[in-house]
Amino acid sequence: MRSLAGTGRLLALGLRRSRIMLVVWVYALVAYAASTAYGFKTLYDTPASLRDFVAGINGNGAAVAMYGRIHVAGSIGGITAWRMAATGGLLVGVMSVLLVIRHTRGDEEAGRLELVGAGVVGRRAPLTAGLLVGVVANVALAVVTALALIIIGLPAAGAFATGLAWTIPGLCFTAVAGVAAQVAETAQAARTIALAAVGVAYLLRAVGDAGRVAWLPWVTPIGWAEQVRAFGAERWWVVALGPVAALVLGVAAYALVERRDLGAGLLAARTGPAGATPYLGGPLGLAWRLQRGALLAWLAGFAVYGAAVGGILKGIGDLVKDSSSMRDILARMGGRQDLEDSYAAAMMGIIGMIAAAYAVQVVLRMRAEETAQRLEPLLAAPVRRVRWSIGHLLFAVAGPVLLLAVAGLTAGLADGLRVHDLGGQVPRLLGAALVQAPAAWVAAAIAMLLFGAAPRLAPAAWGVLGVFLLLGQLGPVLRLSQVVMDLSPFTHVPKLPGGEASATPLLALAAVTAAITAAGLTGLRRRDIG
């Protein structure tokens, strides 16, 4: 057991270092589950409305591809578990990957594991501690989710089955991340490999559900989460597939860790050119080099999500035709125009919040460069702090615009092809997407303020974005006052398509962004680096 010496201390250290990240992820996912259950309970309060909703979803190929097929159709719990299985499984997989890579390959790349390894720490202890951080996060999430659903009034057995269903992809991708950390030589490459596995798993599930290929969802952990069938005839044995697959992958990770040197990966990093290209001669070129991989991945995701929204749009009337509560909520979220326009505006608001998540990630990459001690040597050259940060901030501004443009374009193409009106739908949905950009900039500006003035609190930007998300999703359901709703910048965005287009709120949000960003840059200029 000498190879595991020090695992407990490393686990405690990992949980302490990730305490903010863990709380934010668990809080956001539990809030997602609770708001989903509460919303369905409020909206579909009659058997007829519930039956029509299920028939509408299962009859819409785009909806099935995005969310999966509803198998347990007779209860609020059944559609809650359906809504959480695929998209929730995707998010849980992302959470697990980010946590594990941070405490394995991330620490190794930063040189922290080499220092720790000089003490009484076994060869397998860092990997074990990193995997256990992922396990603790998934178990905590499952328990808290189940308790939240029970408090809302759903049956205990189904609530725990729903929470445990999330552990299937969570544990599997925890182990996938452990393997990726041994294969890749950098944290970025390891994250790319593991997140690509998450994306492929979701895609296989989507193809299997939409194409009625019954066996295909069974080859992916996200598909297994669907097959638990919570709130129906629960298949408890399916829950065991997650730990078993994770155990097999974990054994592979332990075998790989013995076959490489500390700091190296099984796949050696490519040797770069002898001389840097001209565009790397300035902060903007460096920012592009650091941000391009993430931007391309986000672009692919936005293209798929936009197409799914556009594909559902034509049939939204059939899904909510018997639910006056749902129509009212769509009106509060997307404006009081016709139903399809209200739904499109509400979905564009959600896409805008996702774009804000990208913008926050871009800004927090600057904090990662600082904590990895790559910023201080850079500033020792004739590069000023503000000039360096502006290189990244340009991506925080232009990136959301590009992402929203891609989502609006694919949504317009999908809807336009269905209604045979490409010339009309593409510009409408493209404009509805692009107006979300100033609100996303506000979230990036808040992240910049925290990074510049209080860098240790920079991860709290995710919490602020989570508040915006909850106000946008739960506010209309809970009928919160307009004063509370106005705390979110997304509340002030024009409700397009169909609503009144006005430049005034967009200019106001841009002005707020500029003011907050300037305060953040001022703080960065005055504080110590590191």
Side-chain angles (χ1 to χ4, degrees), residues 108-273:
E108 193 168 344
E109 183 180 8
R112 285 186 286 268
L113 287 188
E114 189 170 5
L115 294 174
V116 170
V120 185
V121 174
R123 183 75 172 92
R124 299 181 177 183
L127 173 60
T128 305
L131 294 176
L132 287 177
V133 169
V135 171
V136 169
N138 280 280
V139 172
L141 175 63
V143 172
V144 178
T145 299
L147 294 176
L149 296 180
I150 291 171
I151 291 172
I152 290 174
L154 298 183
F160 277 102
T162 302
L164 290 173
W166 268 359
T167 66
I168 299 175
L171 294 178
C172 285
F173 291 116
T174 291
V176 167
V179 173
Q182 313 313 312
V183 172
E185 190 167 322
T186 66
Q188 182 62 41
R191 278 191 293 268
T192 300
I193 293 171
L195 291 177
V198 176
V200 169
Y202 184 83
L203 181 62
L204 290 174
R205 192 278 318 157
V207 172
D209 283 337
R212 295 182 180 273
V213 184
W215 60 269
L216 198 52
W218 285 99
V219 304
T220 162
I222 297 178
W224 297 345
E226 287 183 332
Q227 301 303 324
V228 173
R229 309 285 175 88
F231 298 100
E234 285 87 359
R235 297 172 169 179
W236 297 103
W237 63 271
V238 177
V239 175
L241 294 178
V244 170
L247 180 62
V248 173
L249 290 168
V251 170
Y254 281 118
L256 295 176
V257 79
E258 301 290 349
R259 288 169 171 76
R260 66 178 183 86
D261 293 330
L262 184 66
L266 294 178
L267 295 179
R270 292 182 301 173
T271 302

Side-chain angles (χ1 to χ4, degrees), residues 185-454:
E185 190 167 322
T186 66
Q188 182 62 41
R191 278 191 293 268
T192 300
I193 293 171
L195 291 177
V198 176
V200 169
Y202 184 83
L203 181 62
L204 290 174
R205 192 278 318 157
V207 172
D209 283 337
R212 295 182 180 273
V213 184
W215 60 269
L216 198 52
W218 285 99
V219 304
T220 162
I222 297 178
W224 297 345
E226 287 183 332
Q227 301 303 324
V228 173
R229 309 285 175 88
F231 298 100
E234 285 87 359
R235 297 172 169 179
W236 297 103
W237 63 271
V238 177
V239 175
L241 294 178
V244 170
L247 180 62
V248 173
L249 290 168
V251 170
Y254 281 118
L256 295 176
V257 79
E258 301 290 349
R259 288 169 171 76
R260 66 178 183 86
D261 293 330
L262 184 66
L266 294 178
L267 295 179
R270 292 182 301 173
T271 302
T277 56
Y279 79 86
L280 275 177
L284 180 59
L286 176 60
W288 163 246
R289 182 69 170 266
L290 295 174
Q291 302 285 357
R292 64 185 181 183
L295 178 60
L296 293 175
W298 280 85
L299 282 171
F302 268 69
V304 173
Y305 191 78
V309 169
I312 295 173
L313 191 57
K314 182 65 173 64
I316 191 61
D318 295 332
L319 296 181
V320 300
K321 62 182 179 180
D322 294 324
S323 176
S324 59
S325 299
M326 187 62 184
R327 289 196 298 271
D328 181 61
I329 288 175
L330 284 178
R332 288 171 63 86
M333 292 178 64
R336 296 190 177 278
Q337 49 266 29
D338 68 71
L339 189 58
E340 288 189 9
D341 284 348
S342 294
Y343 178 78
M347 291 299 101
M348 289 305 169
I350 294 175
I351 290 176
M353 293 180 194
I354 300 174
Y358 166 78
V360 170
Q361 176 187 331
V362 168
V363 175
L364 294 186
R365 180 61 189 265
M366 291 190 283
R367 176 60 178 165
E369 291 296 298
E370 181 182 8
T371 56
Q373 300 181 354
R374 290 188 289 265
L375 175 58
E376 197 167 0
L378 184 65
L379 296 179
V383 176
R384 295 188 177 276
R385 300 181 185 192
V386 172
R387 184 184 172 207
W388 168 77
S389 60
I390 285 177
H392 290 273
L393 289 175
L394 286 176
F395 285 90
V397 172
V401 175
L402 184 58
L403 295 175
L404 290 167
V406 168
L409 181 62
T410 56
L413 288 173
D415 188 43
L417 289 172
R418 287 174 65 93
V419 300
H420 308 290
D421 183 22
L422 283 175
Q425 297 306 315
V426 170
R428 288 177 74 247
L429 293 177
L430 180 59
L434 288 176
V435 296
Q436 306 293 328
W441 295 342
V442 173
I446 293 173
M448 181 64 215
L449 176 62
L450 292 172
F451 168 64

